[in-house]
Amino acid sequence: MLLLQTLQRGSRHGLQRTSGSLTFRTSTSHPRTTPARPLSFANAQHLQKRLANGQPCRIPARILHTTSVLTQQAQTASATTTLQTSTPQLPAYQPPTTGLLSYLPSSFVPYAELVRLDKPVGTYYLFFPCLFSTLLAAPLATPIAAPTAVLGTSLLFLTGALVMRGAGCTINDLWDRNLDPHVARTRLRPIARGAVSPQSAVVFTGAQLLTGLAVLLQFPQPSCFFYGAPSLFFVATYPLAKRVTYYPQAVLGLTFSWGAMMGFPALHVDLLSDSVAATAAGCLYASCVAWTVLYDMIYAHMDIRDDVKAGIKSIALAHEKNTKAVLSGLAAVQVALLATAGSVVGAGPVFFVGSVGGAVATLGAMIWRVKLKSVADCWWWFRNGCWMTGGAISAGLLGEYLAQLFGWYGDDVEEKKEVLSA
C-alpha cells in the first residue's frame, strides 16, 4: 500500500516530473553517489495499474528504496511524537504561598529553603539523640540534675540542632549541585535551580558554622567542645559517601546520632572517668545510629528510581528486594542497644515500659504498614515516625528521670547507683 501511495503522490515523496518523465529524488539521509535514472511517467502509470490489478511486476530497486526511506521517516516521526506526549512535564518552581516561608522577604526565601526551614523534621531527628542523652544522663549527675538544668540544656540542643541541620543541608546541596537537577524531588532546590550561587552558599555555610560554634560554647567547656567538634567531619563527608558506597546512611547515622553522647558532658558527667556513663553513652549512640539508618532507608525509597539514573548510591538500592527484613533487623538492634543503655545505668520499669516498649510498638507499626513503593506513604512515615518513636523514647526517659528525681522507686535506685559506682 505504501508503494502504491508513493507512486500516486509523485513529486511529494520522491518522484519529480521533469520533461515528461519522473526522476527519483532520494532522502538526504541516504545520499546517492550517482544521479538517479529517470523513470518515465508512462512506466510509473503502468506499474501502478499492474499493482492495482494484482498482477506480478518487477519493481525497480530505486522505488523500493524510496518506500523504505518513507517508512523509516514515518516510524521515526511517530516515535518522536509518542515520546513527547508520554514524557510528563514537571512543574516549574512556584514561590511559597502558605506557611512560614510565605511571610519572608523574597530574597530570604531561597536561603530558608536551603536550610529546609519549611521541613523541620530533619531538625527533630537531629535533636532527639541530644534529648535522649540529656534525660539519660540527668539521674547520673551528682547531685541529680535539676529540672531547670535539664530544660535549659535541652533548649540549647534544640537551637544547635536547628543551626547545624541547616549547615548540613547547605553542605549537602553544594556537594549535590550537579546531581539534584536530575532527581525529581530535589531539582528545585535553591542551588540546583540557580536561586543561590555556590559562592553564596559557601559564605552562608560559614555563617551557620560560626553560629553553631557560638551555641556550642554555651555548654560547659572545654569538655563539650572536645566532644562536639569531631562531628563536623561526618557532616562534611556524608554527601561524598553517597558516591562511593551503597551505605551512606551509616555515615548519616554517625552524624545525626552524635548528640547521644553530648548530653553527658553537658550535665557535667565525665565520660572519661565514669565507665558506667561511657558504656551507656556508647550503647545509646549505637542505638541511635541504627535508628537513623532505619528511618533514612525508608526516606531513600522515595528517590530510588531517580537515584539509579543519577548514579547515587543508597541502602535502599542495595536491599530493594528485602528492605523490610533489613528494617526489622535494624529495629531489633536499636531496641536491644537502647535496653542495654538503660540496664547499664540501672533504669527502672518506667524506662523499660515507656522507652523500650514504646520503641518496639512504634517501629513495629511503621515497618509493618509502610508502603515502600509509594512516595507519599514513605514521606508520611518518615515525618510522623520521628514523633512516634522519638516521642515514645523521650517520654519513657523523662518518666524515668522524674521517678528518680522524686524518689518514686524508694531506696532501690540509690542502692543500684552505689553498686554500679563501686
Side-chain angles (χ1 to χ4, degrees), residues 349-383:
V350 174
F351 167 79
F352 287 99
V353 173
S355 295
V356 179
V360 170
T362 55
L363 291 173
M366 179 171 65
I367 295 171
W368 177 264
R369 299 189 62 181
V370 64
K371 299 175 183 176
L372 297 172
K373 299 296 184 182
S374 169
V375 173
D377 203 57
C378 287
W379 171 248
W380 192 93
W381 282 103
F382 173 79
R383 183 185 61 202

PDB file of all heavy atoms in Angstrom, residues 349-383:
ATOM      1  N   PRO A 349      11.439   0.349  85.802  1.00  0.00           N
ATOM      2  CA  PRO A 349      10.379  -0.109  84.891  1.00  0.00           C
ATOM      3  C   PRO A 349       9.777   0.993  84.031  1.00  0.00           C
ATOM      4  O   PRO A 349       9.284   0.709  82.934  1.00  0.00           O
ATOM      5  CB  PRO A 349       9.335  -0.701  85.844  1.00  0.00           C
ATOM      6  CG  PRO A 349       9.637  -0.124  87.184  1.00  0.00           C
ATOM      7  CD  PRO A 349      11.103   0.095  87.212  1.00  0.00           C
ATOM      8  N   VAL A 350       9.800   2.228  84.496  1.00  0.00           N
ATOM      9  CA  VAL A 350       9.237   3.312  83.681  1.00  0.00           C
ATOM     10  C   VAL A 350       9.989   3.415  82.358  1.00  0.00           C
ATOM     11  O   VAL A 350       9.384   3.581  81.288  1.00  0.00           O
ATOM     12  CB  VAL A 350       9.291   4.653  84.443  1.00  0.00           C
ATOM     13  CG1 VAL A 350       8.841   5.797  83.530  1.00  0.00           C
ATOM     14  CG2 VAL A 350       8.426   4.596  85.686  1.00  0.00           C
ATOM     15  N   PHE A 351      11.298   3.308  82.425  1.00  0.00           N
ATOM     16  CA  PHE A 351      12.107   3.372  81.206  1.00  0.00           C
ATOM     17  C   PHE A 351      11.825   2.185  80.293  1.00  0.00           C
ATOM     18  O   PHE A 351      11.619   2.351  79.087  1.00  0.00           O
ATOM     19  CB  PHE A 351      13.594   3.413  81.565  1.00  0.00           C
ATOM     20  CG  PHE A 351      14.506   3.159  80.400  1.00  0.00           C
ATOM     21  CD1 PHE A 351      14.780   4.159  79.478  1.00  0.00           C
ATOM     22  CD2 PHE A 351      15.080   1.900  80.207  1.00  0.00           C
ATOM     23  CE1 PHE A 351      15.616   3.922  78.393  1.00  0.00           C
ATOM     24  CE2 PHE A 351      15.916   1.658  79.130  1.00  0.00           C
ATOM     25  CZ  PHE A 351      16.186   2.670  78.216  1.00  0.00           C
ATOM     26  N   PHE A 352      11.801   0.995  80.856  1.00  0.00           N
ATOM     27  CA  PHE A 352      11.663  -0.192  80.010  1.00  0.00           C
ATOM     28  C   PHE A 352      10.261  -0.301  79.406  1.00  0.00           C
ATOM     29  O   PHE A 352      10.112  -0.747  78.266  1.00  0.00           O
ATOM     30  CB  PHE A 352      12.012  -1.447  80.811  1.00  0.00           C
ATOM     31  CG  PHE A 352      13.485  -1.583  81.074  1.00  0.00           C
ATOM     32  CD1 PHE A 352      14.026  -1.209  82.299  1.00  0.00           C
ATOM     33  CD2 PHE A 352      14.342  -2.043  80.089  1.00  0.00           C
ATOM     34  CE1 PHE A 352      15.385  -1.311  82.541  1.00  0.00           C
ATOM     35  CE2 PHE A 352      15.709  -2.150  80.313  1.00  0.00           C
ATOM     36  CZ  PHE A 352      16.234  -1.781  81.544  1.00  0.00           C
ATOM     37  N   VAL A 353       9.265   0.126  80.143  1.00  0.00           N
ATOM     38  CA  VAL A 353       7.911   0.104  79.586  1.00  0.00           C
ATOM     39  C   VAL A 353       7.719   1.246  78.598  1.00  0.00           C
ATOM     40  O   VAL A 353       7.218   1.052  77.482  1.00  0.00           O
ATOM     41  CB  VAL A 353       6.853   0.179  80.709  1.00  0.00           C
ATOM     42  CG1 VAL A 353       5.453   0.330  80.110  1.00  0.00           C
ATOM     43  CG2 VAL A 353       6.915  -1.062  81.581  1.00  0.00           C
ATOM     44  N   GLY A 354       8.121   2.449  79.005  1.00  0.00           N
ATOM     45  CA  GLY A 354       7.890   3.616  78.168  1.00  0.00           C
ATOM     46  C   GLY A 354       8.812   3.697  76.964  1.00  0.00           C
ATOM     47  O   GLY A 354       8.351   3.750  75.811  1.00  0.00           O
ATOM     48  N   SER A 355      10.121   3.679  77.205  1.00  0.00           N
ATOM     49  CA  SER A 355      11.083   3.867  76.113  1.00  0.00           C
ATOM     50  C   SER A 355      11.249   2.611  75.262  1.00  0.00           C
ATOM     51  O   SER A 355      11.073   2.645  74.038  1.00  0.00           O
ATOM     52  CB  SER A 355      12.440   4.292  76.678  1.00  0.00           C
ATOM     53  OG  SER A 355      12.362   5.561  77.283  1.00  0.00           O
ATOM     54  N   VAL A 356      11.586   1.501  75.919  1.00  0.00           N
ATOM     55  CA  VAL A 356      11.835   0.273  75.163  1.00  0.00           C
ATOM     56  C   VAL A 356      10.536  -0.267  74.566  1.00  0.00           C
ATOM     57  O   VAL A 356      10.471  -0.590  73.370  1.00  0.00           O
ATOM     58  CB  VAL A 356      12.511  -0.784  76.060  1.00  0.00           C
ATOM     59  CG1 VAL A 356      12.740  -2.078  75.278  1.00  0.00           C
ATOM     60  CG2 VAL A 356      13.830  -0.256  76.606  1.00  0.00           C
ATOM     61  N   GLY A 357       9.497  -0.355  75.394  1.00  0.00           N
ATOM     62  CA  GLY A 357       8.215  -0.840  74.880  1.00  0.00           C
ATOM     63  C   GLY A 357       7.640   0.077  73.814  1.00  0.00           C
ATOM     64  O   GLY A 357       7.094  -0.384  72.802  1.00  0.00           O
ATOM     65  N   GLY A 358       7.769   1.384  74.023  1.00  0.00           N
ATOM     66  CA  GLY A 358       7.267   2.333  73.027  1.00  0.00           C
ATOM     67  C   GLY A 358       8.005   2.230  71.709  1.00  0.00           C
ATOM     68  O   GLY A 358       7.404   2.327  70.629  1.00  0.00           O
ATOM     69  N   ALA A 359       9.325   2.017  71.778  1.00  0.00           N
ATOM     70  CA  ALA A 359      10.110   1.863  70.554  1.00  0.00           C
ATOM     71  C   ALA A 359       9.695   0.608  69.795  1.00  0.00           C
ATOM     72  O   ALA A 359       9.558   0.623  68.565  1.00  0.00           O
ATOM     73  CB  ALA A 359      11.598   1.815  70.887  1.00  0.00           C
ATOM     74  N   VAL A 360       9.482  -0.478  70.524  1.00  0.00           N
ATOM     75  CA  VAL A 360       9.053  -1.721  69.877  1.00  0.00           C
ATOM     76  C   VAL A 360       7.718  -1.526  69.164  1.00  0.00           C
ATOM     77  O   VAL A 360       7.540  -1.931  68.001  1.00  0.00           O
ATOM     78  CB  VAL A 360       8.952  -2.863  70.910  1.00  0.00           C
ATOM     79  CG1 VAL A 360       8.280  -4.084  70.290  1.00  0.00           C
ATOM     80  CG2 VAL A 360      10.329  -3.230  71.439  1.00  0.00           C
ATOM     81  N   ALA A 361       6.770  -0.891  69.835  1.00  0.00           N
ATOM     82  CA  ALA A 361       5.430  -0.716  69.267  1.00  0.00           C
ATOM     83  C   ALA A 361       5.446   0.201  68.047  1.00  0.00           C
ATOM     84  O   ALA A 361       4.856  -0.116  67.005  1.00  0.00           O
ATOM     85  CB  ALA A 361       4.488  -0.164  70.334  1.00  0.00           C
ATOM     86  N   THR A 362       6.120   1.330  68.161  1.00  0.00           N
ATOM     87  CA  THR A 362       6.092   2.301  67.059  1.00  0.00           C
ATOM     88  C   THR A 362       6.906   1.832  65.858  1.00  0.00           C
ATOM     89  O   THR A 362       6.485   1.999  64.706  1.00  0.00           O
ATOM     90  CB  THR A 362       6.613   3.662  67.537  1.00  0.00           C
ATOM     91  OG1 THR A 362       7.929   3.509  68.108  1.00  0.00           O
ATOM     92  CG2 THR A 362       5.688   4.255  68.593  1.00  0.00           C
ATOM     93  N   LEU A 363       8.061   1.239  66.111  1.00  0.00           N
ATOM     94  CA  LEU A 363       8.871   0.739  64.998  1.00  0.00           C
ATOM     95  C   LEU A 363       8.175  -0.428  64.308  1.00  0.00           C
ATOM     96  O   LEU A 363       8.190  -0.531  63.072  1.00  0.00           O
ATOM     97  CB  LEU A 363      10.246   0.302  65.500  1.00  0.00           C
ATOM     98  CG  LEU A 363      11.184   1.416  65.973  1.00  0.00           C
ATOM     99  CD1 LEU A 363      12.431   0.824  66.610  1.00  0.00           C
ATOM    100  CD2 LEU A 363      11.561   2.336  64.826  1.00  0.00           C
ATOM    101  N   GLY A 364       7.575  -1.298  65.105  1.00  0.00           N
ATOM    102  CA  GLY A 364       6.858  -2.424  64.514  1.00  0.00           C
ATOM    103  C   GLY A 364       5.713  -1.973  63.631  1.00  0.00           C
ATOM    104  O   GLY A 364       5.510  -2.499  62.530  1.00  0.00           O
ATOM    105  N   ALA A 365       4.958  -0.981  64.098  1.00  0.00           N
ATOM    106  CA  ALA A 365       3.839  -0.469  63.306  1.00  0.00           C
ATOM    107  C   ALA A 365       4.331   0.166  62.009  1.00  0.00           C
ATOM    108  O   ALA A 365       3.745  -0.030  60.934  1.00  0.00           O
ATOM    109  CB  ALA A 365       3.047   0.545  64.129  1.00  0.00           C
ATOM    110  N   MET A 366       5.413   0.920  62.083  1.00  0.00           N
ATOM    111  CA  MET A 366       5.928   1.588  60.894  1.00  0.00           C
ATOM    112  C   MET A 366       6.420   0.578  59.863  1.00  0.00           C
ATOM    113  O   MET A 366       6.087   0.676  58.671  1.00  0.00           O
ATOM    114  CB  MET A 366       7.063   2.542  61.270  1.00  0.00           C
ATOM    115  CG  MET A 366       7.681   3.269  60.080  1.00  0.00           C
ATOM    116  SD  MET A 366       8.841   4.572  60.553  1.00  0.00           S
ATOM    117  CE  MET A 366      10.135   3.606  61.328  1.00  0.00           C
ATOM    118  N   ILE A 367       7.204  -0.386  60.299  1.00  0.00           N
ATOM    119  CA  ILE A 367       7.749  -1.373  59.360  1.00  0.00           C
ATOM    120  C   ILE A 367       6.634  -2.210  58.749  1.00  0.00           C
ATOM    121  O   ILE A 367       6.670  -2.557  57.561  1.00  0.00           O
ATOM    122  CB  ILE A 367       8.783  -2.262  60.077  1.00  0.00           C
ATOM    123  CG1 ILE A 367       9.986  -1.416  60.506  1.00  0.00           C
ATOM    124  CG2 ILE A 367       9.237  -3.408  59.176  1.00  0.00           C
ATOM    125  CD1 ILE A 367      10.963  -2.142  61.411  1.00  0.00           C
ATOM    126  N   TRP A 368       5.629  -2.527  59.539  1.00  0.00           N
ATOM    127  CA  TRP A 368       4.527  -3.355  59.051  1.00  0.00           C
ATOM    128  C   TRP A 368       3.673  -2.615  58.027  1.00  0.00           C
ATOM    129  O   TRP A 368       3.252  -3.185  57.019  1.00  0.00           O
ATOM    130  CB  TRP A 368       3.668  -3.800  60.229  1.00  0.00           C
ATOM    131  CG  TRP A 368       2.467  -4.612  59.834  1.00  0.00           C
ATOM    132  CD1 TRP A 368       1.189  -4.176  59.636  1.00  0.00           C
ATOM    133  CD2 TRP A 368       2.447  -6.020  59.568  1.00  0.00           C
ATOM    134  NE1 TRP A 368       0.366  -5.200  59.273  1.00  0.00           N
ATOM    135  CE2 TRP A 368       1.111  -6.359  59.221  1.00  0.00           C
ATOM    136  CE3 TRP A 368       3.406  -7.026  59.591  1.00  0.00           C
ATOM    137  CZ2 TRP A 368       0.728  -7.659  58.903  1.00  0.00           C
ATOM    138  CZ3 TRP A 368       3.023  -8.322  59.273  1.00  0.00           C
ATOM    139  CH2 TRP A 368       1.710  -8.625  58.935  1.00  0.00           C
ATOM    140  N   ARG A 369       3.441  -1.329  58.251  1.00  0.00           N
ATOM    141  CA  ARG A 369       2.442  -0.610  57.466  1.00  0.00           C
ATOM    142  C   ARG A 369       3.008   0.234  56.329  1.00  0.00           C
ATOM    143  O   ARG A 369       2.271   0.580  55.404  1.00  0.00           O
ATOM    144  CB  ARG A 369       1.613   0.281  58.390  1.00  0.00           C
ATOM    145  CG  ARG A 369       0.860  -0.489  59.468  1.00  0.00           C
ATOM    146  CD  ARG A 369      -0.117   0.395  60.207  1.00  0.00           C
ATOM    147  NE  ARG A 369      -1.143   0.913  59.306  1.00  0.00           N
ATOM    148  CZ  ARG A 369      -2.123   1.726  59.684  1.00  0.00           C
ATOM    149  NH1 ARG A 369      -2.196   2.114  60.952  1.00  0.00           N
ATOM    150  NH2 ARG A 369      -3.001   2.155  58.821  1.00  0.00           N
ATOM    151  N   VAL A 370       4.267   0.594  56.370  1.00  0.00           N
ATOM    152  CA  VAL A 370       4.795   1.484  55.332  1.00  0.00           C
ATOM    153  C   VAL A 370       4.753   0.797  53.970  1.00  0.00           C
ATOM    154  O   VAL A 370       5.095  -0.380  53.828  1.00  0.00           O
ATOM    155  CB  VAL A 370       6.235   1.928  55.667  1.00  0.00           C
ATOM    156  CG1 VAL A 370       7.205   0.752  55.691  1.00  0.00           C
ATOM    157  CG2 VAL A 370       6.711   2.990  54.682  1.00  0.00           C
ATOM    158  N   LYS A 371       4.318   1.549  52.965  1.00  0.00           N
ATOM    159  CA  LYS A 371       4.272   1.061  51.586  1.00  0.00           C
ATOM    160  C   LYS A 371       5.471   1.650  50.849  1.00  0.00           C
ATOM    161  O   LYS A 371       5.465   2.818  50.452  1.00  0.00           O
ATOM    162  CB  LYS A 371       2.966   1.482  50.918  1.00  0.00           C
ATOM    163  CG  LYS A 371       1.727   0.925  51.607  1.00  0.00           C
ATOM    164  CD  LYS A 371       0.452   1.471  50.978  1.00  0.00           C
ATOM    165  CE  LYS A 371      -0.787   0.963  51.711  1.00  0.00           C
ATOM    166  NZ  LYS A 371      -2.033   1.564  51.149  1.00  0.00           N
ATOM    167  N   LEU A 372       6.475   0.831  50.672  1.00  0.00           N
ATOM    168  CA  LEU A 372       7.743   1.319  50.152  1.00  0.00           C
ATOM    169  C   LEU A 372       7.665   1.761  48.699  1.00  0.00           C
ATOM    170  O   LEU A 372       8.527   2.511  48.231  1.00  0.00           O
ATOM    171  CB  LEU A 372       8.815   0.237  50.311  1.00  0.00           C
ATOM    172  CG  LEU A 372       9.121  -0.155  51.760  1.00  0.00           C
ATOM    173  CD1 LEU A 372      10.044  -1.365  51.804  1.00  0.00           C
ATOM    174  CD2 LEU A 372       9.748   1.009  52.510  1.00  0.00           C
ATOM    175  N   LYS A 373       6.660   1.312  47.968  1.00  0.00           N
ATOM    176  CA  LYS A 373       6.511   1.718  46.565  1.00  0.00           C
ATOM    177  C   LYS A 373       5.808   3.067  46.429  1.00  0.00           C
ATOM    178  O   LYS A 373       5.759   3.631  45.337  1.00  0.00           O
ATOM    179  CB  LYS A 373       5.719   0.654  45.795  1.00  0.00           C
ATOM    180  CG  LYS A 373       6.374  -0.728  45.766  1.00  0.00           C
ATOM    181  CD  LYS A 373       7.692  -0.711  45.022  1.00  0.00           C
ATOM    182  CE  LYS A 373       8.291  -2.115  44.928  1.00  0.00           C
ATOM    183  NZ  LYS A 373       9.605  -2.103  44.241  1.00  0.00           N
ATOM    184  N   SER A 374       5.268   3.559  47.526  1.00  0.00           N
ATOM    185  CA  SER A 374       4.533   4.823  47.497  1.00  0.00           C
ATOM    186  C   SER A 374       5.393   5.938  48.084  1.00  0.00           C
ATOM    187  O   SER A 374       5.776   5.887  49.259  1.00  0.00           O
ATOM    188  CB  SER A 374       3.226   4.700  48.290  1.00  0.00           C
ATOM    189  OG  SER A 374       2.625   5.968  48.477  1.00  0.00           O
ATOM    190  N   VAL A 375       5.686   6.941  47.273  1.00  0.00           N
ATOM    191  CA  VAL A 375       6.482   8.074  47.742  1.00  0.00           C
ATOM    192  C   VAL A 375       5.764   8.804  48.870  1.00  0.00           C
ATOM    193  O   VAL A 375       6.366   9.158  49.893  1.00  0.00           O
ATOM    194  CB  VAL A 375       6.781   9.042  46.577  1.00  0.00           C
ATOM    195  CG1 VAL A 375       7.452  10.312  47.085  1.00  0.00           C
ATOM    196  CG2 VAL A 375       7.655   8.361  45.532  1.00  0.00           C
ATOM    197  N   ALA A 376       4.465   9.006  48.700  1.00  0.00           N
ATOM    198  CA  ALA A 376       3.691   9.727  49.712  1.00  0.00           C
ATOM    199  C   ALA A 376       3.666   8.969  51.032  1.00  0.00           C
ATOM    200  O   ALA A 376       3.765   9.569  52.113  1.00  0.00           O
ATOM    201  CB  ALA A 376       2.268   9.962  49.206  1.00  0.00           C
ATOM    202  N   ASP A 377       3.540   7.651  50.968  1.00  0.00           N
ATOM    203  CA  ASP A 377       3.479   6.859  52.191  1.00  0.00           C
ATOM    204  C   ASP A 377       4.836   6.835  52.903  1.00  0.00           C
ATOM    205  O   ASP A 377       4.901   6.917  54.137  1.00  0.00           O
ATOM    206  CB  ASP A 377       3.030   5.431  51.871  1.00  0.00           C
ATOM    207  CG  ASP A 377       2.422   4.729  53.076  1.00  0.00           C
ATOM    208  OD1 ASP A 377       1.441   5.261  53.633  1.00  0.00           O
ATOM    209  OD2 ASP A 377       2.935   3.670  53.472  1.00  0.00           O
ATOM    210  N   CYS A 378       5.914   6.728  52.134  1.00  0.00           N
ATOM    211  CA  CYS A 378       7.253   6.772  52.738  1.00  0.00           C
ATOM    212  C   CYS A 378       7.479   8.104  53.447  1.00  0.00           C
ATOM    213  O   CYS A 378       8.028   8.149  54.559  1.00  0.00           O
ATOM    214  CB  CYS A 378       8.320   6.556  51.665  1.00  0.00           C
ATOM    215  SG  CYS A 378       8.441   4.862  51.045  1.00  0.00           S
ATOM    216  N   TRP A 379       7.052   9.192  52.805  1.00  0.00           N
ATOM    217  CA  TRP A 379       7.229  10.503  53.420  1.00  0.00           C
ATOM    218  C   TRP A 379       6.387  10.627  54.688  1.00  0.00           C
ATOM    219  O   TRP A 379       6.835  11.190  55.689  1.00  0.00           O
ATOM    220  CB  TRP A 379       6.862  11.606  52.428  1.00  0.00           C
ATOM    221  CG  TRP A 379       6.808  12.969  53.049  1.00  0.00           C
ATOM    222  CD1 TRP A 379       5.712  13.743  53.248  1.00  0.00           C
ATOM    223  CD2 TRP A 379       7.911  13.719  53.577  1.00  0.00           C
ATOM    224  NE1 TRP A 379       6.046  14.926  53.862  1.00  0.00           N
ATOM    225  CE2 TRP A 379       7.395  14.941  54.075  1.00  0.00           C
ATOM    226  CE3 TRP A 379       9.278  13.472  53.677  1.00  0.00           C
ATOM    227  CZ2 TRP A 379       8.204  15.906  54.658  1.00  0.00           C
ATOM    228  CZ3 TRP A 379      10.085  14.438  54.271  1.00  0.00           C
ATOM    229  CH2 TRP A 379       9.545  15.635  54.742  1.00  0.00           C
ATOM    230  N   TRP A 380       5.171  10.082  54.665  1.00  0.00           N
ATOM    231  CA  TRP A 380       4.301  10.174  55.843  1.00  0.00           C
ATOM    232  C   TRP A 380       4.940   9.466  57.028  1.00  0.00           C
ATOM    233  O   TRP A 380       4.983  10.008  58.136  1.00  0.00           O
ATOM    234  CB  TRP A 380       2.938   9.552  55.543  1.00  0.00           C
ATOM    235  CG  TRP A 380       1.906   9.851  56.598  1.00  0.00           C
ATOM    236  CD1 TRP A 380       1.014  10.876  56.613  1.00  0.00           C
ATOM    237  CD2 TRP A 380       1.689   9.106  57.818  1.00  0.00           C
ATOM    238  NE1 TRP A 380       0.241  10.832  57.758  1.00  0.00           N
ATOM    239  CE2 TRP A 380       0.635   9.759  58.513  1.00  0.00           C
ATOM    240  CE3 TRP A 380       2.272   7.980  58.386  1.00  0.00           C
ATOM    241  CZ2 TRP A 380       0.161   9.300  59.744  1.00  0.00           C
ATOM    242  CZ3 TRP A 380       1.811   7.534  59.623  1.00  0.00           C
ATOM    243  CH2 TRP A 380       0.763   8.185  60.284  1.00  0.00           C
ATOM    244  N   TRP A 381       5.447   8.271  56.817  1.00  0.00           N
ATOM    245  CA  TRP A 381       6.042   7.522  57.920  1.00  0.00           C
ATOM    246  C   TRP A 381       7.375   8.118  58.349  1.00  0.00           C
ATOM    247  O   TRP A 381       7.724   8.086  59.537  1.00  0.00           O
ATOM    248  CB  TRP A 381       6.206   6.051  57.538  1.00  0.00           C
ATOM    249  CG  TRP A 381       4.915   5.302  57.633  1.00  0.00           C
ATOM    250  CD1 TRP A 381       4.098   4.916  56.614  1.00  0.00           C
ATOM    251  CD2 TRP A 381       4.270   4.871  58.837  1.00  0.00           C
ATOM    252  NE1 TRP A 381       2.981   4.273  57.095  1.00  0.00           N
ATOM    253  CE2 TRP A 381       3.064   4.225  58.460  1.00  0.00           C
ATOM    254  CE3 TRP A 381       4.586   4.956  60.188  1.00  0.00           C
ATOM    255  CZ2 TRP A 381       2.190   3.677  59.392  1.00  0.00           C
ATOM    256  CZ3 TRP A 381       3.712   4.409  61.122  1.00  0.00           C
ATOM    257  CH2 TRP A 381       2.532   3.780  60.722  1.00  0.00           C
ATOM    258  N   PHE A 382       8.123   8.653  57.415  1.00  0.00           N
ATOM    259  CA  PHE A 382       9.376   9.316  57.779  1.00  0.00           C
ATOM    260  C   PHE A 382       9.098  10.528  58.664  1.00  0.00           C
ATOM    261  O   PHE A 382       9.772  10.743  59.678  1.00  0.00           O
ATOM    262  CB  PHE A 382      10.118   9.747  56.514  1.00  0.00           C
ATOM    263  CG  PHE A 382      11.342  10.586  56.775  1.00  0.00           C
ATOM    264  CD1 PHE A 382      12.529   9.999  57.173  1.00  0.00           C
ATOM    265  CD2 PHE A 382      11.305  11.968  56.622  1.00  0.00           C
ATOM    266  CE1 PHE A 382      13.666  10.771  57.417  1.00  0.00           C
ATOM    267  CE2 PHE A 382      12.426  12.745  56.862  1.00  0.00           C
ATOM    268  CZ  PHE A 382      13.608  12.144  57.262  1.00  0.00           C
ATOM    269  N   ARG A 383       8.111  11.319  58.310  1.00  0.00           N
ATOM    270  CA  ARG A 383       7.795  12.537  59.055  1.00  0.00           C
ATOM    271  C   ARG A 383       7.148  12.223  60.402  1.00  0.00           C
ATOM    272  O   ARG A 383       7.538  12.781  61.432  1.00  0.00           O
ATOM    273  CB  ARG A 383       6.861  13.407  58.210  1.00  0.00           C
ATOM    274  CG  ARG A 383       6.512  14.752  58.835  1.00  0.00           C
ATOM    275  CD  ARG A 383       5.493  15.454  57.964  1.00  0.00           C
ATOM    276  NE  ARG A 383       4.268  14.668  57.853  1.00  0.00           N
ATOM    277  CZ  ARG A 383       3.381  14.789  56.874  1.00  0.00           C
ATOM    278  NH1 ARG A 383       3.612  15.630  55.881  1.00  0.00           N
ATOM    279  NH2 ARG A 383       2.294  14.058  56.873  1.00  0.00           N
TER     280      ARG A 383
END
